[in-house]
Amino acid sequence: MSHALPVTPLDTLTAALRRVLPLLPVVAVIALLGLPPSPSDEGGANIADAVSGLLVVCCAIHLVRARRRPLSVTAALVLGLPVVGIALSAAGAADPGAGITGLTRYLQIFVLVPAAVLLLVRDRRDFRLLAWSFVALALWQGAIGVRQYVTGTGASYQGADVRAVGTFGPTDVMGMATVVAFGLVCAVALALGTGEARQRSVAVLCALALLPPLALSFSRGAWIATAVACGAQLVLAGLRRAVKVAAALAAAGVILVGGPGVGTAMLQERITSITQVTDAPDQSVTDRYTMWAAATDMWREHPLTGVGLKGFPDNRDGHASLALSSGSDISGAGAAFHKQPLLSPHNMYLLVLSEQGLIGLLALAGSWLALLVCALRGLVRVRRTPADAAGPGLAPGRTPQGTDCALVACGLIVWQLVDFVYADIGGPSTVLTAVVFGVIGWWALMDPSAPAGTVASAPAASVREEAAAR
């Protein structure tokens, strides 16, 4: 008679490590964004970008060893669509070297890294691990940002070093705001979804904790995108389940605007300025409008393929009006005062339109809209999952399993689409955008007809796996 050997804690730890091993390169990219970039990385690739390249290589090796088919036809079409416009624009670039550099960057952010993340995420447990990784990074960067505000060691804002920028420094003032916003969107989704009561409570606390650093980033674009994304999540989750979270967020917002120590005059003035972008715009808004007009003018001259990748800076002065300033004032957070040149329109859609033309914009934006539609379809499919398929522990009226993953994906894609109206790619935090598109893609591009265990596993199969695990 054979006797089974007892399972030791070491065996459990080994099994857990073996399970998360394929996902470690993705987590490493997220974790490395918690480190301050070196001075030599300014304006170029950093260590997180290098690890993202390693992530793509690890994914290729993993696929070869596992003998798995790479992507479904739908996933390959959606992720590969941007290549058309990118390749045409790179071929038409005035500077071949700049064209190759731009081609590499766009493929990294919108094609290769998202595809690698999509392929390495195997099920919803992996998906949730990445969501919590976003939250952890946001809490770290947010804590640094709040400390910068309190101690007056942040980036310069209205003559005071109070702007929270985290480890990204004053040259990437949107970096911390982007990271914190991603974490907040993930935390709200995890709080609204199913799971243990303790997990939902922790997610609510994390969401509340991330509100102050987001406010102290003084980033109007990130505020608007986060409000729209979280509002969409509340609607998609159902008002009955979302009312408590909505009340908590509203109460926190009142405290931030009018409470002692947080609702400062600077913050209130920044909030008010959102409604004054046409009546009395400040210089930053004027510069943005001027660059938007310049990008549109470039597109009119080259409507189909644009001026070429990395061509906006070289063509800016020939299309911008005299209202454009010489650059942004940069100081604080350990940096000496200097002028940062304005080399992009701070609008992703207009940047693509000016450099890649109508073909590039339709290809890239078409890929993003396809992700949005597929993510929403995944949410509808999960909400229609029969109660018995979600496991015996699901009481009538409870949100079906997997809704938290759907809300994460839908919230992130909505945030990104709105934020691209006020920002574009660039800076150390850009590689996180690539990971985000991979996370969105995993949820949006799952093939319901694929058998469990393939790359495009069905949501129903994941539900059954979760139910068996319980």
Side-chain angles (χ1 to χ4, degrees):
M1 180 181 295
S2 61
H3 298 279
L5 296 176
V7 179
T8 65
L10 180 60
D11 295 332
T12 303
L13 178 60
T14 302
L17 290 176
R18 186 181 297 111
R19 170 173 174 75
V20 302
L21 186 60
L23 207 63
L24 286 183
V26 187
V27 177
V29 172
I30 299 174
L32 288 172
L33 288 171
L35 303 177
S38 64
S40 60
D41 293 336
E42 185 175 336
N46 54 27
I47 187 172
D49 288 301
V51 175
S52 72
L54 181 62
L55 162 65
V56 175
V57 174
C58 290
C59 176
I61 296 174
H62 181 69
L63 290 177
V64 171
R65 293 184 60 186
R67 297 181 180 179
R68 296 166 59 183
R69 63 186 177 92
L71 292 170
S72 65
V73 175
T74 302
L77 179 62
V78 172
L79 292 180
L81 187 60
V83 177
V84 177
I86 297 170
L88 288 175
S89 183
D95 182 355
I100 294 175
T101 301
L103 175 67
T104 303
R105 187 63 161 167
Y106 271 92
L107 290 179
Q108 173 202 10
I109 302 303
F110 297 116
V111 181
L112 296 179
V113 173
V117 173
L118 182 151
L119 291 167
L120 290 176
V121 175
R122 294 161 298 178
D123 53 34
R124 293 175 183 174
R125 283 182 291 180
D126 286 356
F127 189 98
R128 293 185 182 102
L129 175 60
L130 292 183
W132 280 111
S133 298
F134 285 134
V135 175
L137 176 63
L139 290 172
W140 168 251
Q141 291 286 357
I144 296 175
V146 171
R147 181 180 180 276
Q148 290 171 334
Y149 175 82
V150 172
T151 60
T153 56
S156 178
Y157 178 76
Q158 294 186 354
D161 295 341
V162 295
R163 187 167 191 174
V165 292
T167 63
F168 296 101
T171 58
D172 187 15
V173 293
M174 283 292 296
M176 190 212 74
T178 299
V179 169
V180 171
F182 285 155
L184 180 57
V185 169
C186 290
V188 170
L190 293 168
L192 293 173
T194 52
E196 297 180 356
R198 180 181 302 177
Q199 176 177 286
R200 295 198 302 270
S201 299
V202 172
V204 170
L205 294 177
C206 291
L208 295 175
L210 290 173
L211 287 175
L214 180 63
L216 297 177
S217 69
F218 295 103
S219 175
R220 292 170 293 199
W223 293 348
I224 295 172
T226 304
V228 173
C230 292
Q233 288 175 313
L234 291 172
V235 173
L236 293 174
L239 296 179
R240 180 177 298 180
R241 288 189 52 82
V243 64
K244 294 183 180 180
V245 177
L249 292 175
V254 171
I255 295 174
L256 287 174
V257 174
V262 178
T264 63
M266 286 184 180
L267 182 57
Q268 295 181 27
E269 183 273 335
R270 191 68 166 174
I271 295 174
T272 305
S273 69
I274 295 177
T275 61
Q276 298 174 340
V277 294
T278 56
D279 297 334
D282 54 32
Q283 185 58 49
S284 65
V285 175
T286 300
D287 288 339
R288 185 163 299 186
Y289 285 164
T290 304
M291 291 188 293
W292 287 5
T296 305
D297 198 36
M298 294 178 200
W299 167 68
R300 290 195 182 99
E301 291 187 2
H302 307 273
L304 290 181
T305 58
V307 297
L309 289 183
K310 298 289 185 177
F312 182 88
D314 295 334
N315 292 270
R316 183 201 64 182
D317 293 340
H319 297 82
S321 69
L322 296 177
L324 184 65
S325 66
S326 59
S328 302
D329 295 339
I330 301 298
S331 64
F337 176 84
H338 65 281
K339 287 280 188 179
Q340 184 177 30
L342 303 173
L343 302 178
S344 71
H346 295 290
N347 180 305
M348 191 64 199
Y349 304 105
L350 290 180
L351 176 63
V352 174
L353 188 65
S354 63
E355 293 188 344
Q356 302 182 36
L358 192 60
I359 295 176
L361 180 62
L362 290 177
L364 201 55
S367 174
W368 300 336
L369 289 177
L371 288 176
L372 174 61
V373 172
C374 292
L376 291 173
R377 287 181 59 189
L379 173 63
V380 172
R381 186 165 55 243
V382 167
R383 293 179 68 89
R384 290 178 177 175
T385 301
D388 55 352
L394 187 64
R398 287 280 306 279
T399 304
Q401 296 291 335
T403 305
D404 53 349
C405 299
L407 292 176
V408 167
C410 293
L412 288 176
I413 187 61
V414 169
W415 189 96
Q416 198 65 77
L417 292 178
V418 175
D419 182 71
F420 274 162
V421 177
Y422 309 97
D424 48 46
I425 58 174
S429 60
T430 301
V431 68
L432 191 63
T433 301
V435 177
V436 164
F437 273 112
V439 169
I440 297 167
W442 182 85
W443 176 261
L445 301 175
M446 289 186 299
D447 183 5
S449 63
T454 62
V455 174
S457 300
S462 298
V463 170
R464 288 192 294 269
E465 291 175 3
E466 290 181 1
R470 289 174 179 270

